[in-house]
Amino acid sequence: MKPLKSEHIRFISKVNRWLLILLVLMIACFFSWSENVLITRAIKVVGRMSVLIGSYWIYRKIISYGAVDTLRWHNPMVLIVYGIYLLLGFASFMWSTNVGYSSLQWFMTSQTLVFCYFFIRSIYLLDEFFPGHNVKLYNLLGNSSFILILVFVIGMWVKPEVFFRLTHGGEEARLGGYLMNPNELGMLAAIGVSGLIFDIYRNHRKWFTILKIAILFYALISTGSRSSLIGTFLIIGFHIKQSNNIKLKLAVITVMIIAAPYAVHKVVLKDGDSERLEEVLSMTGRLPFWKALILEGLPREPLLGFGFMRIDYNEYFSSTHTYAAKMTHNTFIQVLMNLGFIGITLIIFQMIFTFSAIARERKEKKLMIYGMLIPLIINSFTEFGIFGESNYGILFYQLLLIYVSYKKSNILSPKNRIYLKKRRPELFKDDQLQIIH
């Protein structure tokens, strides 16, 4: 592998910054930056469309600098079944109990998928035509999460009334405020930890990376998110199991042994409150609600559900046996309610194809994807999740779906070969690229 030219290194460094900025902005578009609903919607619409255009611009910029898009399908069923799921969601506008809400949720989910498409293909273009580059998806995910979490960590000290949310009758203050659900913010911190761990593997700014992980862990505890804390411990345990570095294993295990009792006592058991312990054992107190949804709500529309992201004929599902709510707080039950048994069957097959595709990837890529999926799947059992209402969990899941659905190819058409010979003649010196006959 020939070393990159200095001009290419400078270009790739710019691309890395652009991709990081875009990912930070895209995730930020899921936050509620104002208590005014109209302002929040305007920020989300303008922001999301801007980053979508930005992702396409970077994709075209890489091509214009000396690359051609020769990527080919790899594990096509992953995206094909996901596309069928979205088509069913689109068709559900015909029977949705609130067409406006269903269409809004559907278009936001679809827009996120298009952003992910150009974002991932940009990284693959770098892999193919700028070998040896330093743009890593795990680094982008880790740093983008860290940047946003740092805003909250600073904010909790500078303006606690904005960045903290009072729950349980004002007894508990959780990091997130009106800007973001604390459980979702905790999941973002877990994603950041999962991504930055790989920077430690490759000794990339090791001590600074450890500091960033420590800040993420501090923010995670401040959110009071049990599911995200459990997810983070599972991520760390997963990486310990995979590592061959005995010293690293001992160091991490020692830190976990010291930190775990405090974290579990403060976050999971909430200072030993027996009522909170009961809440944990009943899946955050939602088991009666889920039971009512399945036994009372589902039989009304069992086959096709109530429409994309709808769980009842009314705005809120209510029952005499549980509280009223607009969403299920479980992404799988959410699909069951809004797209019925047909929808849940689709996502079961989609996830089977996804995990089968991941199992066939090379070790580093497989570890990264599994590490990212741990907090996403855990969050999906108690919050919006990967098939729920629009949230950045869907963004991360879609990035991973596209990441396993394509692979680079060094086979060129005559037109592409001519273009590259003009722009990047060094690629042809060892006949590394072939021509399509």
Side-chain angles (χ1 to χ4, degrees):
M1 183 187 297
K2 292 182 176 63
L4 292 169
K5 294 180 179 179
S6 58
E7 61 179 289
H8 293 155
I9 292 174
R10 288 194 296 272
F11 172 70
I12 290 169
S13 180
K14 288 181 181 179
V15 169
N16 195 27
R17 287 196 298 271
W18 292 335
L19 289 173
L20 178 61
I21 291 169
L22 277 184
L23 193 53
V24 168
L25 292 176
M26 186 61 180
I27 298 171
C29 286
F30 290 97
F31 289 81
S32 299
W33 294 106
S34 172
E35 293 184 273
N36 187 305
V37 176
L38 293 178
I39 294 175
T40 296
R41 287 180 179 174
I43 291 172
K44 289 186 175 184
V45 171
V46 174
R48 290 167 70 104
M49 291 310 299
S50 297
V51 294
L52 172 58
I53 294 169
S55 67
Y56 177 73
W57 176 78
I58 291 176
Y59 167 78
R60 295 302 309 174
K61 195 76 174 176
I62 295 171
I63 290 177
S64 68
Y65 203 78
V68 291
D69 194 339
T70 61
L71 294 178
R72 53 196 177 99
W73 278 101
H74 180 56
N75 305 310
M77 292 305 294
V78 171
L79 278 184
I80 288 174
V81 179
Y82 192 81
I84 295 172
Y85 156 73
L86 287 179
L87 285 175
L88 178 62
F90 184 78
S92 76
F93 295 172
M94 292 186 292
W95 64 83
S96 173
T97 56
N98 186 330
V99 179
Y101 188 77
S102 291
S103 59
L104 175 65
Q105 290 293 320
W106 187 89
F107 281 110
M108 286 195 293
T109 300
S110 301
Q111 182 270 342
T112 304
L113 183 64
V114 177
F115 166 83
C116 294
Y117 175 82
F118 289 115
F119 192 92
I120 293 298
R121 287 183 83 91
S122 296
I123 294 176
Y124 270 125
L125 286 178
L126 295 177
D127 289 342
E128 187 172 0
F129 294 99
F130 301 91
H133 69 85
N134 63 348
V135 179
K136 307 293 182 183
L137 179 60
Y138 56 76
N139 178 266
L140 292 168
L141 288 168
N143 281 321
S144 58
S145 300
F146 170 74
I147 290 169
L148 288 166
I149 290 293
L150 186 61
V151 172
F152 279 80
V153 170
I154 295 172
M156 67 187 283
W157 292 104
V158 175
K159 210 161 187 179
E161 68 274 13
V162 173
F163 288 89
F164 271 115
R165 176 182 297 192
L166 296 177
T167 62
H168 295 86
E171 295 178 5
E172 183 182 353
R174 302 177 64 186
L175 185 63
Y178 68 81
L179 300 172
M180 178 52 63
N181 179 306
N183 293 323
E184 295 293 301
L185 192 64
M187 187 261 285
L188 182 63
I191 289 289
V193 170
S194 182
L196 291 174
I197 282 176
F198 285 92
D199 280 342
I200 295 178
Y201 281 167
R202 61 176 178 144
N203 286 317
H204 177 71
R205 300 177 179 175
K206 183 177 178 180
W207 293 109
F208 183 46
T209 300
I210 291 173
L211 174 62
K212 288 191 282 189
I213 290 175
I215 292 173
L216 287 170
F217 200 83
Y218 171 69
L220 172 58
I221 292 177
S222 299
T223 65
S225 174
R226 304 181 185 101
S227 57
S228 299
L229 179 67
I230 293 169
T232 303
F233 280 133
L234 287 176
I235 291 167
I236 295 171
F238 174 74
H239 283 285
I240 290 173
K241 186 176 182 298
Q242 302 296 326
S243 176
N244 295 320
N245 189 325
I246 302 299
K247 290 182 178 179
L248 177 63
K249 283 187 175 184
L250 290 173
V252 174
I253 290 172
T254 301
V255 172
M256 286 184 67
I257 290 173
I258 294 171
Y262 172 78
V264 171
H265 183 69
K266 293 295 290 183
V267 178
V268 178
L269 302 181
K270 306 291 184 182
D271 294 319
D273 190 327
S274 59
E275 290 184 8
R276 305 292 174 82
L277 177 59
E278 183 181 344
E279 193 178 88
V280 173
L281 296 175
S282 64
M283 290 290 285
T284 64
R286 295 191 178 109
L287 285 179
F289 178 59
W290 295 337
K291 182 179 178 180
L293 281 168
I294 294 172
L295 296 181
E296 299 176 31
L298 183 61
R300 300 172 193 164
E301 299 290 345
L303 195 61
L304 291 168
F306 295 95
F308 196 70
M309 295 308 143
R310 299 288 298 165
I311 66 172
D312 196 49
Y313 297 120
N314 303 309
E315 287 302 304
Y316 290 82
F317 171 82
S318 59
S319 168
T320 56
H321 305 291
T322 184
Y323 57 83
K326 193 175 181 180
M327 59 167 282
T328 64
H329 288 277
N330 182 307
T331 202
F332 307 105
I333 296 178
Q334 184 81 11
V335 174
L336 187 60
M337 297 303 295
N338 68 64
L339 294 177
F341 284 111
I342 293 178
I344 194 69
T345 301
L346 277 175
I347 70 158
I348 288 172
F349 277 102
Q350 198 284 319
M351 294 190 75
I352 290 172
F353 287 124
T354 298
F355 279 96
S356 298
I358 296 169
R360 293 191 292 269
E361 294 291 346
R362 68 182 191 276
K363 184 178 179 181
E364 183 192 65
K365 191 172 180 179
K366 187 191 303 184
L367 288 177
M368 187 214 77
I369 296 172
Y370 280 142
M372 294 292 174
L373 278 176
I374 288 171
L376 292 179
I377 297 299
I378 290 176
N379 176 267
S380 294
F381 280 105
T382 57
E383 286 299 332
F384 300 90
I386 56 178
F387 294 104
E389 295 182 7
S390 182
N391 69 96
Y392 46 63
I394 295 174
L395 166 69
F396 297 136
Y397 187 63
Q398 289 176 343
L399 284 170
L400 298 180
L401 294 186
I402 296 174
Y403 200 44
V404 299
S405 296
Y406 293 95
K407 64 179 179 180
K408 62 181 182 178
S409 171
N410 59 1
I411 301 175
L412 299 174
S413 67
K415 181 180 177 181
N416 288 337
R417 190 177 179 88
I418 292 170
Y419 170 76
L420 282 178
K421 274 194 170 182
K422 290 180 180 179
R423 297 287 301 178
R424 305 284 304 285
E426 72 275 10
L427 294 175
F428 293 83
K429 289 182 180 178
D430 295 327
D431 292 326
Q432 296 176 0
L433 300 174
Q434 303 172 37
I435 188 169
I436 296 175
H437 296 288

